[in-house]
Amino acid sequence: MSVIGALGVLVWLTTAWAVKAGKRWARPAATVMLVLGTGVGLTGLLTKDTSGETGLPPELGWAGMIPCLAGVAAVTLLWRRPRLT
């Protein structure tokens, strides 16, 4: 696992803990992580190499977007859930 991947997992676990603990910053942090993760996934999907072809095979690029679908579902449910006060 790359350092960036390990850091991403650590940040998501911290965010999940914050949601469970009712921290006020958890919802915005999860949303920012989703945006950053989607950006990384789209970069892998759309970046062209010097030959003009996509840098990754399309199947691998789309596989990198699959976690974003889970992220969209999680963040949507997070914002729909009433905030603990």
Side-chain angles (χ1 to χ4, degrees):
M1 179 181 274
S2 70
V3 174
I4 294 175
L7 182 61
V9 170
L10 178 65
V11 171
W12 273 113
L13 290 174
T14 303
T15 304
W17 166 81
V19 168
K20 186 170 179 145
K23 302 291 183 185
R24 292 176 50 108
W25 53 268
R27 289 179 181 187
T31 304
V32 167
M33 289 305 300
L34 173 63
V35 169
L36 290 174
T38 302
V40 169
L42 286 172
T43 299
L45 181 64
L46 301 174
T47 299
K48 305 264 185 213
D49 66 9
T50 56
S51 69
E53 296 294 321
T54 304
L56 292 174
E59 297 80 15
L60 188 56
W62 282 109
M65 293 300 296
I66 291 171
C68 297
L69 297 175
V72 166
V75 169
T76 300
L77 291 172
L78 181 61
W79 281 99
R80 292 185 73 194
R81 192 176 107 202
R83 180 180 288 190
L84 300 174
T85 55

